[in-house]
């Protein structure tokens, strides 16, 4: 388990610098796609099992959704039963994915000082607890002891980014902008299909996805030598409408389902889509925001590229399960809870008839 109690205080806010980038060859997996509906047993074909900790997680085939021939029924089932699915035929050219991954590696391989100096406004670089404010600054006071370094990329602000002084950043900006446009397209198509599937009334779908809120976070999870400190990112649900995760072949992402942690095998050329808290709210709890976490390995570091998108800032999220709220109010509440309680209470705070 990611047992917070076992963390020595030195990790509270990760001081010092992250272990240097290793550029190790990533584990290759032989995993093939299996639809969860066709098998109830664990898939055992991945060579990258969960980190060698006391985790009881097992790997399973999670639902698969094909963006090219989108089945509303499959999409709905995946969002209701799992809150996560694998996306096939997403239309992002492999050359672009490779370019982005290449640049992410180059950036993370810079020295800690260079990353701090280079990855600034509107980008931000962080090491350790990534409970972030919307602007990407790490929030102090959180109990989330995450073992990762990250780069926050607000997509709409990229055109204003003064990257000319460094060619590494200019290329990075170019590829990440193109990648961001694909992610916006994918998120919008999926969201529209979900709204249709849920037969949302105009009041609910008003709180629709706003592409301009989209941002990308690049993560590097260095290996950890101690078996009982295998937590890369502590368990949480995403506050977004939808999140789209592109993990490398190392693996380590786990989802919580039916009281068990399940390992999500990495499969190349696929993306993972998470239902976030905002989607759960507007669906009146018919879709579930999936609880997930990341485990780190003892030997291999892991990279992931994640995209998050939200309702427009002032837009009121209406449902019959929750009090009306804006995303800004939700985020504010999450920040307050994180500061005062040390963790996120999330949607519980907004439940109608919830105890005060
Ligand atoms: O690195 C990952 O695969 C997941 C990251 C994540 O869950 C998040 O940023 O919310
Ligand atoms: Fe997450």
């Amino acid at each position: 388990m990611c047992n917070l109690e076992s963390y020595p205080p030195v990790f509270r806010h990760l001081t010092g610098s992250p272990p240097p980038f290793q550029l190790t060859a990533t584990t290759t997996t032989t995993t093939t796609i299996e639809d969860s509906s066709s098998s109830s047993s664990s898939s055992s074909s991945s060579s990258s099992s969960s980190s060698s900790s006391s985790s009881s997680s097992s790997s399973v085939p999670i639902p698969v959704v094909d963006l090219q021939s989108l089945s509303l029924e499959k999409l709905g089932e995946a969002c209701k039963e799992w809150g996560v699915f694998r996306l096939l035929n997403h239309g992002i050219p492999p050359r672009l994915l490779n370019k982005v991954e290449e640049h992410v590696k180059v950036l993370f391989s810079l020295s800690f000082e260079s990353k701090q100096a280079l990855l600034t406004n509107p980008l931000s670089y962080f090491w350790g607890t990534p409970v972030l404010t919307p602007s990407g600054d790490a929030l102090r006071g959180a109990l989330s002891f995450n073992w990762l370094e990250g780069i926050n990329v607000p997509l709409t602000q990229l055109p204003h980014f003064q990257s000319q002084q460094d060619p590494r950043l200019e290329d990075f900006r170019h590829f990440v902008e193109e990648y961001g446009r694909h992610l916006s397209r994918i998120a919008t198509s999926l969201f529209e299909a979900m709204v249709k599937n849920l037969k949302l009334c105009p009041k609910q779908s008003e709180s629709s996805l706003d592409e301009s809120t989209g941002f990308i976070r690049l993560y590097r999870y260095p290996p950890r030598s101690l078996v009982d400190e295998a937590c890369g990112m502590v368990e949480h649900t995403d506050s977004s409408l939808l999140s789209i995760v592109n993990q490398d072949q190392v693996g380590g992402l786990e989802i919580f389902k039916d009281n068990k942690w399940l390992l999500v095998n990495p499969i190349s050329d696929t993306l993972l889509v998470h239902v976030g808290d905002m989607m759960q709210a507007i669906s009146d709890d018919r879709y579930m925001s999936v609880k997930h976490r990341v485990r780190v390995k003892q030997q291999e570091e892991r990279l992931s590229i994640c995209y998050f998108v939200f309702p427009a800032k002032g837009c009121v999220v209406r449902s019959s399960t929750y009090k009306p709220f804006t995303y800004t109010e939700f985020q504010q509440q999450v920040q307050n809870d994180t500061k005062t309680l040390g963790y996120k209470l999330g949607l519980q705070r907004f439940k109608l008839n919830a105890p005060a």
Side-chain angles (χ1 to χ4, degrees):
M1 279 293 293
C2 290
N3 181 1
L4 298 181
E5 300 304 319
S6 70
Y7 277 72
V10 69
F11 292 134
R12 268 194 162 243
H13 299 298
L14 294 170
T15 49
S17 58
F21 191 75
Q22 294 184 329
L23 269 180
T24 48
T26 54
T27 313
T28 45
T29 60
T30 52
T31 312
T32 51
I33 295 165
E34 250 182 287
D35 195 323
S36 63
S37 57
S38 63
S39 164
S40 57
S41 65
S42 290
S43 155
S44 56
S45 48
S46 170
S47 59
S48 61
S49 62
S50 177
S51 60
S52 45
S53 69
S54 56
S55 165
S56 59
S57 62
S58 52
S59 60
V60 285
I62 66 163
V64 173
V65 168
D66 186 332
L67 191 62
Q68 247 170 43
S69 50
L70 199 53
S71 151
L72 289 190
E73 199 188 327
K74 275 196 164 184
L75 179 68
E77 253 170 48
C79 296
K80 279 180 196 155
E81 301 297 323
W82 291 75
V84 62
F85 54 87
R86 247 184 241 290
L87 190 69
L88 299 189
N89 292 321
H90 45 71
I92 307 180
R95 125 199 103 78
L96 178 61
L97 287 171
N98 290 339
K99 281 287 175 200
V100 173
E101 283 160 19
E102 243 172 58
H103 279 80
V104 171
K105 284 183 186 164
V106 169
L107 290 182
F108 279 128
S109 65
L110 298 173
S111 71
F112 184 48
E113 291 71 26
S114 306
K115 283 180 274 205
Q116 286 177 310
L118 201 62
L119 304 168
T120 55
N121 195 22
L123 303 182
S124 50
Y125 168 76
F126 52 89
W127 159 234
T129 183
V131 176
L132 298 181
T133 64
S135 61
D137 303 323
L139 186 70
R140 296 291 149 188
L143 277 178
S144 320
F145 310 128
N146 295 315
W147 181 255
L148 56 84
E149 58 177 339
I151 303 168
N152 201 61
V153 186
L155 289 166
T156 47
Q157 290 173 49
L158 275 187
H160 313 297
F161 184 34
Q162 300 294 315
S163 55
Q164 296 86 343
Q165 79 274 24
D166 195 310
R168 286 169 301 193
L169 285 184
E170 191 49 35
D171 286 352
F172 167 73
R173 176 173 80 165
H174 168 77
F175 291 120
V176 98
E177 273 187 314
E178 192 182 342
Y179 185 56
R181 282 193 289 276
H182 278 284
L183 291 167
S184 294
R185 163 186 62 77
I186 294 168
T188 300
S189 307
L190 290 173
F191 182 73
E192 282 168 0
M194 288 175 188
V195 165
K196 205 161 153 192
N197 209 4
L198 289 163
K199 301 188 173 59
L200 290 183
C201 67
K203 256 194 172 173
Q204 282 168 304
S205 56
E206 249 170 39
S207 32
S208 56
L209 176 150
D210 179 354
E211 289 188 4
S212 76
T213 61
F215 65 86
I216 288 179
R217 249 179 231 160
L218 315 168
Y219 293 118
R220 169 182 170 248
Y221 300 81
R224 291 194 88 164
S225 53
L226 294 175
V227 164
D228 61 346
E229 288 173 4
C231 199
M233 187 177 285
V234 291
E235 64 182 64
H236 65 282
T237 58
D238 292 345
S239 300
S240 56
L241 269 172
L242 296 176
S243 312
I244 305 180
V245 175
N246 176 4
Q247 62 168 340
D248 70 8
Q249 294 300 301
V250 171
L253 178 65
E254 297 182 349
I255 56 160
F256 195 68
K257 179 165 163 50
D258 301 333
N259 274 327
K260 280 194 295 273
W261 283 105
L262 306 172
L263 182 66
V264 181
N265 288 325
I267 299 182
S268 52
D269 299 328
T270 68
L271 298 171
L272 284 163
V273 180
H274 293 181
V275 169
D277 298 338
M278 294 304 103
M279 195 68 221
Q280 175 171 335
I282 68 168
S283 75
D284 265 329
D285 287 353
R286 282 180 285 165
Y287 288 1
M288 297 311 292
S289 178
V290 63
K291 197 196 281 183
H292 53 286
R293 69 181 184 187
V294 178
R295 316 276 297 170
V296 288
K297 305 267 167 112
Q298 281 182 289
Q299 306 295 343
E300 281 175 301
E301 61 193 5
R302 171 181 188 270
L303 297 177
S304 67
I305 305 174
C306 304
Y307 169 82
F308 306 87
V309 71
F310 302 83
K313 277 221 162 62
C315 189
V316 179
V317 175
R318 290 176 204 282
S319 65
S320 34
T321 318
Y322 300 97
K323 299 165 198 161
F325 63 87
T326 62
Y327 179 71
T328 312
E329 286 162 348
F330 181 83
Q331 185 67 8
Q332 193 57 55
Q333 185 65 55
V334 169
Q335 291 187 12
N336 288 348
D337 287 340
T338 309
K339 269 189 192 140
T340 54
L341 307 172
Y343 52 89
K344 164 183 168 181
L345 269 176
L347 282 177
Q348 271 184 57
R349 281 276 185 210
F350 296 87
K351 263 243 153 86
L352 279 170
N353 310 320

